[in-house]
C-alpha cells in the first residue's frame, strides 16, 4: 500500500489515554522484580490499532507528557499504523500500571498508578472536535476516558456529538474501572454520553447499573433492548470470557439490535496475555461490519479476535483481513 | 509494621541447610545450558519465610560458607523477613543443586551437589540451643538436616528437645532424601527424633518405614494413629499432590489427631515451579492453626498454600493473611 | 566412552541440509521481534543426532557456506556427537527460516528463506558415495534434499544406491515441503528414489500421491502394502500427531511390513517446541530396531521419542538408551 | 504536536532500502550465536528518522516483502515518525545482514544477505515521482540504492530529477558498498546521478574515483571543487571518523561550497554501536542548514550528531532540536 | 556472625525515602524501552547498607506504600542487612525514577516520578524518635528527606535532635535535589537542621548557598570553616568526582575540622553504574572513623569506596572490612 | 573440509580437566546473582580448540562425570572441533568455578569448587598412552593436571613420555594454581615432568621456583637458559600481560632457545573476557611454528592471539589461518 492508497482508506478517530504497562516477567511476582517488561496499552488506541491492521486510516487524539515515556507511547501507536495526534504536556505524569501474571489459583494482580496524568487535564476544548472528526467513518471512545474527570467526560461528549453530526459511526465501550470511579459517580455521566452512541460494547453487569429501573430479574436481552429503546443504539454487543481450564479461556459474544439477537460460536484460547482482548473484539466487529461482513459475520470475527488476542504478547491486535478469513489453521507456512 | 510491632510478633526458630538452586531456564535441558537461573531453597528456611509473611518473627539457625555464595543465601532469608543466625565457615563448600524442568513425558531432573558443605559440620554444640529457642512459639526442623550426618542429627535432637522444654511447639517434616541416606540409615535416627515432635509432616510412604511393625496392608489412618501412640504427636499431617493433567497438580491434605481425621478440599494448580510447595503447606498450616484458625481451617489453608506455591517462581511462599482469607479470585486490582 | 570405543560403534551416514532457525522468543509475533532465538535443524542431521545419543557413530554429508553461520551449523552437529563432513562453499547463502510460535487459535507461522543455499549446488559427484558409505550400517536421507533441485535429487539417488550396494540399511523420510516443490514435481523424482529405500517414513497423505493409481477410498494399510509391493520396502512407518488439547499433542505410530501391521500406544506430550519430533521418531525407531529391540519395541520407542521431542527446546533429540528404557517417571534424581 | 501542526511541517521524501540487522549480542561471535538482536537500518530511512525528530514531516518510498519481516521494517519507520510509502512485494526476500561487534584488535564483522530483495525490483515507474515529491523541501537518496541494479539506479535518477524540478533540495550520499558493485560499475552510474544533486555527502576516497581525471596528488579541497564545478553541487560534505582509543571515535567534518571551506570541531564519543552515525550527520546537517542554522552551525551540529549516534543502540538518531542546542551536559534531569 | 553477635554490634539508625529505579538496559534510550532493570536506592538506606556490610546493626525508618512495590523496597533493605522499620501506607504512591545511561557525548537522563509518595506524609510524630534512637551510635538523614515537605523536614529535625540528645553521632548529607525544591525554599529549612549535625557531607556549591553571607570569592576551606563556626559541626566532608576520560571518573575527597584540612588521594574508576557512590563514601567514612581508623584513614577509605561504587550495578555498597583493607588487587582468588 | 581431508590433518592430543565456569552476568557481583552465564574452560582443551581452528585434528583425553553437566563439557569440546575421548565416571563431581567480573578498582573474583572431580581420579593407567599418542604431531598438558594429585601427575608423566617416544612435540604450560597446591608441593613433581617437555610455556615467577639454585638477581633470559640446559627444552616461551588502562591489556611475549632470544611487538586489547588468553597464545605459537611460520612469526602470532582472546566471550579461541594472516583490520565485510 503506498501513501496514496492510504488516503483512500476509511478514517477512524479515537479519543483516549494509553498507559505504560510494566509487568513482572513470566509468572514472577511483583515483590521479586529485578526486571520489568514494558508494553503500551489503552482501550481506544488498542481498538484503532486493530482497525489499522484491517485497512483503516486511524488517528488517535490524546494528551501525553512531553518526555521520553510519552514519546514511547506515541511511537507505539505510530509503529502499529495509528497516527498519534498529541497535545503534549510539559509537566504531567506518565500513566503507568504494574502487572503480575498469576496462574490458578494465584490471581493476576494489577496496580494502577495513573493519577495526575496528562489526560486528566483534557478539556472540552483541547481538540477542535469538528475538525478532527471531519471525514471520519468511525469515532471511538470509552468509559475509561470519562472516568478521568468531569472535564475529560465532557470532552468525550463533545467528541461523540461532533462525530455523529459529521455522519460518523460512534462506538463506545463502557469499560467500567472501579479504581477510577464508583458506579454512583459513573452512572449520571455515562447516561449523558450514551445517547450519542451508535454501537455500544457493554456487559450485563454494566446494563444492570446503567439502565434506569433495571433489576437482576431481567434477562440480558431485555436489558439491552431497554438500552436501545432509551438511547437509540443501533447495536449492543456483549462479550463473555470464561476460564474453561487453568490457562484457557472460552469467548462467546452476543449482538443485539432492535430486531435481532445473535450469538457467536465459542472460541477457546490458550492464555498468553489477556490484555487487549476486548479491544480486539471491538476492532474486528467494527471493521467487519462496516466493510460489509454482516452482523453475524462481524460477531463471529469479533469472538475469534477476542480469543486470538489472549495468545498475543502485548495489547496490539494485528491481524490482517486474510487472517480473519483463513482462521482455523494450526500452522501457516508463509513462504 | 514498625520495628516495635515486630518485637511483639510470635517467634519461630528453624534449624536447617539452604542451597543454591541452579536451573536451566524454562524447559531447557541441562546438557544445553548457556545460562542458569539462581534460586535459594531449603525446607526449614522456606517454612520460616512462609511464617514471616504471615506475621511471625523468624530466626533461622544455619551454617554457611563465608564467601559471596554463602552471603547470597543469607541475604535471601533476610530479604524475605527471616533473620539468618549464621555460623560462618571459612572453608566449606556451598550446597548446590542443578535442576532441569521437564514437561510430560519428559521427567524433571535434579542433580544434587551438596557434599562437604558447611552444615555437614554442624554439631550439637554449634548453637546454644536453650538460648536460641528462648521465647519461641515454634521450633522447626526436618529429616534433611538429620540426613547430613550423625552430628547434625544430634543437633536436631538437641534443638527440638530444648524447644519442647521451653514450651515451644515442635514441628518436623520427615522429607526423606534417598540421595543423602538410605531408609536403613534413616529409620533409627528418625525414631530418636520423633518423640520430641508435636506436629509431624509426613506421608504414608514414610510411615510404612518408620512405624514399628507397619505393613502395607494397614491403611494410612491406622499408620498415623500408631505414630501418634508411639511418639506422642499432637497432629500428623499428610500431603498428597497428584498430576491431574500435563502441567497441572491437584493437592489434597489430611490431618490426624488422636481423635480426629480431617481431609481438605482438592486444590488444582497450574505448575510453574513445584519447589517449596510442601514447605508452604507447612507454614500455612502452622500459622493458621497457632493463630486460632482451627484444625480444619489450618488444613484448608495448607492445601491451598501448597497448590498456590506450585505457581510461584522460586521457593519463597509470600502470602499475607489477607490473601489467605481472600483466596479464590482470578484477578486482584490492588489499586 | 573413549575414542577407541567409539570406533567400535555402528556407523550411520546421512545426507541433507541444515538451516538456522530464527524464532521470535516465547509466543511473540515476528512483527514484534527485537530478539531472535537461534536453533539449528535439518531432518537428516536431527536423525543422526538421535542415533548418536543412542550409541551410533554418525557422519553427516552436507554443503555449507564458508562463513561464521555455516560454521555455527557444523558446530551444532559436532556438539551433538555427529561428525560433519562438509563441502564448504565460499559464496552460497546460509539456509534460514523464521518461526513464530502460535497458541490456539493463533497458528504458528514459518517463513522459509532458503534459496541459493550451498546444498542447492550439491551434485551427484560432490561426495565419493562409495567411499562415504563404506562400513555404514545405516544410510539416511529425505525428500527435502530431493526437493532442492534435480542435481541434489540425483545425489540422493546415488547415495542411497551406493549404500544399498554396500549392505547398509537405507532409510528415507518423504517429508514433502510444499514451498520447495509441488507434488507434480515431486512424484516422478521420489518414485525414482523409492526402490532404493528399505525403511520408509511417510504418511497416508504422501502415499495417496506416490502410489500409482491410489485413490482416497483405499485404507492406509492397503496403500502402504502397495508401496511395499511396488518398491520393495522392508518396513513402512507412519506417524500421527493430533492436538489433544491446546498445548498438547498425542502421538501414535504405525509400522507395516509385508506381513505385519503394528500400532503403538498413544503418547501425550505438553508442547514446548514441536520441531524435530518426526526426526526423533525416526532415530528411536532405527536405533531400537537395529539393535535388536524388535519391531514392536522400536515402534513404541519411536512414538515415545516423538512425544518426548515436543517438550525439548530445539531440534536435537538427545536421549540415552537408559532413558528410553526407563521412560515414564515424572522426576529423576540423578545424584 | 497535533495532527494539524504536523501538516505545517516541512516535508522530506526519501527513496531507499532498509534491512533487518541481526547482531550477535554484546561482543559475542557469530559462530557462537544462540540469540540475535534485531535492529532495522537503511541509509535513507535513517536520515529521514533524524529529520522527523527535528520537526520534518517525512515520507519514505520503498519496496518491502509482504510478510511479517517486511512489516517489522515498515513499523520501525512509522514508530520513529517516518511515513512508510511501501510498494509491497508478495514474493521477494527480506534484506538481512548479520553483525559481530568486535573489540580491538578483533575486527567487527558484517555478513550481508541482501540478494533478491524487494528493492532490487524497483523500477523507474514503481512510484509516480512527480506526485511523490510534490511539496517536498528535501529529497534524499544514496549510492546504495543505485547499487541495487540498473533499474533502481534509474529510479534514483528519476526521483532526484523530479524533486529538483519541483524545487526541492536534493541530497545524496555516495556510500559506496563494495559488496554490491565495483567502482568500475559504480562510476558511470553515479556520474549520471550527480548533476541532479544539490548537497553531496562523500569522502576523499569517493572523489578520487568519481571526479574525472582525479589523481592522488590533488588535495581534498581541490577534488571537491572539481566536483562542484562539474556537477553543480551547492555543498559538498565530507565526514572523518578516526578511532582515538580502543572503544572511542573522534569525528571531524568538512563542508565546501564554491567559495567556502569549513571544518568542524573534533567530537569524541564512546562507541556503543557505530551504525547510523553517517546518516545522523546528514540529518543534523540538513535540518540545521535548512532551518536557518547557517553552514557553520549545520556542520558543527552534524559532527556532534555523528559522534552522538555512536553511543546509541540501533540506527535511529532521535534528537530533538533542544538537545541539539543544549549539547555538552553529562546529566540531564528531565523532571 | 550469629544473632547474638549481631546484638553486640554498634547501631546505626537512618530516616529517609527509597525509590524504585527503573533503568533502560545497558545504554538503551528510554524512548526505546521494551524492558526495564529494577533497582532500589535512597541515600539514607544506601548509607545504612554500607554500614551494615562493615559490621553495624542498622535500622531504617521509613514510610512505604503497602503493596508489592513497597514490599520490594523493604525486602531490598533487609536483604542487605538493614532492618526496615516501616510505617505502611495503604494509599500512597511508590516513589519511582526512570534512568537512561548515556555515554559521552550523550548525557545520562533521569526522570523522577516521586510525587504523592508515602514519605511525603511523614510527620514529626510518625515515629517515637526517642525510642527509635535509643542506644544508637549513629543517626543519619539527608536534605532529600527535608525536601519532601515541611512535615518531613520537621521530622528530620526531631529525629536528629533526639539522636544528639541520646549521645549518637549525627550525620547529614545536604544532597540538594533541584527538582524537589529550590534553594530559596531549601536554605531556611536546612539552616534549622544544621545545628543538630555533627558530621556534614556537602559541597562547595551547597556551602555558597547555606553559609550566611558566603561569596564566590571565598575558598572552600574558608566556607567550611564558617559552617563549622556557625553550626558546630565536628567534621565537614566534601566529595569531588571528575570525569577523567569517557567512561572513567576520578574521586578526591576533603575533610575539614576546626583544626585540620585533609585531602585524600585520587581514585580512578571505570564507571559501570554511578548511583550510590556518594552514599558509599559516607558509609566508609563513618564506619572507619567511628571504629578507630582516624580521620585520614576514614577519608582515604571513603574516596576509595566512592570510586569502587561506580563499578557496582545497583546502589548497594557491600564491602567488608577485609576488602577495605586489602584494596588494590586486580584479581582475588577466594578459594 | 570433508571427513577425508580431516584424516590428513596433523594430530594433536591433550590431557587435562575442563570446568564449568559460572559467571555473574556483566559486572554484577556474586552476592547479587539471579542468573549465571555458563562457559566451559580448561587449559589443555582450550589449547586444542585453538589448534583445531587452525587445521589440526585434535583429541582430548579426560575424565568427566557421567551426567548432563559432564556431557555439556564434552559437547563444548566437540562443538569446537576437538574429539573428546572421555573416561566417564558415574559418581564424581563436576568441576566448577564461580566468577565475578570486576572493574578497576574493584577486583575480579574467582571461587573454585573443584574438589572430588572425575579428573582427580585419573591414574597412570586410565588411558593406554602409547595407543593414544600414536601418530600425534603434538602432545599437550599443563601443571594444572599435575596439581590434581599424585596419580594425575604420574599420568601426565606417562603421557608425555609416551608422546616423546612416539616422536611427537611435547608442550607443557606450568600454569601454577596456588589454590590447588603450594610451590613446595609443586616443585618436585614438576621437575620430574620437565625433562619430557620440548616446548615450555612459563613465566619468570615460575622459573625462580623451578630452576635449581635460581635467585632473584638473575635475569629472565639467564633463568630460561638454565631451564633449557637442565631439562633440554627446545623452546621456552614467556607471556607478559600488563593492564595499560582500565579495561585494556597489553601483551608482549618472549621466546628463548639455546641460541636465540626473541621478543614480540606489544599488542593492546580491550578486555571483554580475559579467560583463555594464555591458551590462545599457546595454540597460535604451536600451530604457526609447526606449520613453518618460523620462531619470530610464531611469537608474533602468539602475542596477537593472546590479545585477541581478551576480547572474546568464553575461553574458546577460534581464529582461522586467514584471520591470523590478515590481522589488523577494524572491520571485515565477509560478504
Amino acid at each position: 500500500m503506498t501513501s496514496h492508497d492510504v488516503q483512500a482508506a476509511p478514517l477512524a478517530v479515537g479519543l483516549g489515554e494509553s498507559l505504560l504497562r510494566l509487568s513482572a516477567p513470566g509468572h514472577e511476582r511483583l515483590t521479586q522484580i529485578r526486571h520489568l517488561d514494558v508494553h503500551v496499552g489503552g482501550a481506544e488506541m488498542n481498538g484503532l490499532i486493530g482497525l489499522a491492521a484491517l485497512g483503516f486510516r486511524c488517528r488517535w487524539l490524546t494528551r501525553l507528557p512531553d518526555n521520553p515515556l510519552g514519546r514511547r507511547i506515541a511511537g507505539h501507536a505510530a509503529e502499529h499504523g495509528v497516527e498519534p495526534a498529541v497535545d503534549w504536556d510539559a509537566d504531567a505524569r506518565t500513566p503507568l500500571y504494574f502487572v503480575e501474571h498469576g496462574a490458578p489459583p494465584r490471581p493476576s494482580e494489577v496496580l494502577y498508578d495513573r493519577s495526575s496524568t496528562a489526560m486528566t487535564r483534557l478539556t472540552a476544548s483541547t481538540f477542535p472536535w469538528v475538525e478532527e472528526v471531519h471525514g471520519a467513518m468511525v469515532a471511538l471512545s470509552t468509559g475509561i476516558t470519562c472516568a478521568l474527570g468531569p472535564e475529560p467526560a465532557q470532552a468525550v461528549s463533545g467528541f461523540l456529538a461532533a462525530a455523529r453530526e459529521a455522519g460518523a459511526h460512534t462506538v463506545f465501550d463502557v469499560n467500567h474501572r472501579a479504581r477510577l470511579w464508583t458506579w454512583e459517580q459513573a452512572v449520571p455521566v455515562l447516561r449523558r454520553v450514551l445517547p450519542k452512541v451508535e454501537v455500544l460494547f457493554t456487559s450485563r453487569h454494566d446494563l444492570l447499573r446503567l439502565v434506569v429501573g433495571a433489576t437482576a430479574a431481567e434477562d440480558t436481552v431485555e436489558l439491552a433492548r431497554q438500552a436501545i429503546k432509551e438511547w437509540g443504539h443501533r447495536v449492543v454487543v456483549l462479550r463473555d470470557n470464561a476460564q474453561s481450564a487453568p490457562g484457557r479461556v472460552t469467548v462467546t459474544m452476543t449482538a443485539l439490535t432492535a430486531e435481532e439477537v445473535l450469538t457467536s460460536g465459542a472460541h477457546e484460547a490458550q492464555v498468553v496475555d489477556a490484555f487487549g482482548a476486548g479491544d480486539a473484539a471491538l476492532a474486528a466487529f467494527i471493521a467487519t461490519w462496516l466493510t460489509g461482513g454482516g452482523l453475524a459475520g462481524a460477531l463471529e470475527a469479533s469472538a475469534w479476535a477476542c480469543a486470538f488476542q489472549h495468545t498475543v504478547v502485548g495489547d496490539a491486535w494485528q491481524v490482517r483481513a486474510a487472517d480473519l478469513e483463513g482462521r482455523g489453521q494450526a500452522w501457516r507456512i508463509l513462504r
Side-chain angles (χ1 to χ4, degrees), chain A:
Chain A
M1 188 187 308
T2 68
S3 53
H4 304 283
D5 303 331
V6 169
Q7 297 310 318
L11 174 68
V13 181
L15 170 67
E17 179 170 60
S18 283
L19 306 86
L20 286 187
R21 170 166 36 127
L22 306 181
S23 320
H27 289 285
E28 289 186 15
R29 306 202 68 184
L30 283 170
T31 49
Q32 299 176 309
I33 41 167
R34 260 73 187 173
H35 303 280
L36 285 164
D37 293 335
V38 180
H39 292 283
V40 179
E44 296 88 351
M45 184 198 66
N46 291 348
L48 293 172
I49 286 174
L51 289 170
L54 292 171
F56 279 66
R57 192 158 50 97
C58 295
R59 188 185 306 138
W60 172 49
L61 311 178
T62 199
R63 301 192 83 250
L64 286 170
D66 189 10
N67 66 32
L69 304 181
R71 288 194 288 278
R72 172 72 178 83
I73 293 173
H76 175 86
E79 178 188 358
H80 294 86
V82 172
E83 178 202 353
V86 184
D87 183 46
W88 297 101
D89 187 320
D91 293 320
R93 287 194 59 245
T94 309
L96 305 173
Y97 66 115
F98 294 86
V99 170
E100 169 178 323
H101 291 286
R106 176 159 65 90
S108 288
E109 295 194 345
V110 178
L111 178 65
Y112 283 103
D113 186 10
R114 61 192 298 178
S115 58
S116 311
T117 62
M119 269 295 275
T120 61
R121 304 183 191 169
L122 177 76
T123 71
S125 62
T126 302
F127 291 94
W129 306 120
V130 173
E131 201 176 319
E132 293 289 358
V133 301
H134 178 75
M137 179 188 277
V138 177
L140 164 68
S141 195
T142 75
I144 304 171
T145 306
C146 299
L148 298 177
E151 292 259 30
Q154 224 174 317
V156 171
S157 285
F159 166 64
L160 291 178
R164 200 135 205 203
E165 187 73 20
H169 299 279
T170 53
V171 183
F172 188 80
D173 190 339
V174 172
N175 241 326
H176 184 69
R177 289 282 186 274
R179 287 285 166 185
L180 289 176
W181 58 355
T182 63
W183 273 112
E184 286 62 42
Q185 296 170 306
V187 166
V189 173
L190 294 174
R191 283 187 185 155
R192 275 195 295 277
V193 168
L194 289 170
K196 298 169 189 86
V197 173
E198 182 182 345
V199 186
L200 179 69
F201 284 78
T202 187
S203 68
R204 172 179 173 78
H205 185 259
D206 295 345
L207 292 173
L208 278 170
R209 299 292 192 149
L210 291 170
V211 172
V212 180
T215 68
E218 293 173 277
D219 78 359
T220 308
V221 170
E222 183 51 31
L223 287 168
R225 284 275 152 76
Q226 288 183 46
I228 287 170
K229 203 163 127 198
E230 191 160 343
W231 297 304
H233 312 308
R234 191 155 148 217
V235 195
V236 173
V237 187
L238 303 126
R239 283 164 301 212
D240 180 55
N241 303 347
Q243 180 180 303
S244 42
R248 291 192 237 156
V249 75
T250 296
V251 178
T252 343
M253 294 187 58
T254 307
L256 295 107
T257 63
E259 302 85 26
E260 281 182 290
V261 182
L262 293 169
T263 304
S264 75
H267 293 263
E268 191 179 27
Q270 184 177 341
V271 182
V272 171
D273 176 348
F275 292 87
D279 308 321
L282 184 152
F285 182 88
I286 296 297
T288 309
W289 190 48
L290 294 185
T291 59
L295 193 59
L299 195 67
E300 205 63 36
S302 182
W304 177 81
C306 188
F308 184 103
Q309 184 57 12
H310 282 86
T311 74
V312 173
V313 179
D315 296 56
W317 185 67
Q318 292 255 293
V319 163
R320 316 175 87 204
D323 300 332
L324 209 52
E325 284 149 25
R327 52 189 190 257
Q329 306 155 283
W331 282 85
R332 191 152 48 200
I333 309 299
L334 299 179
R335 230 193 103 74

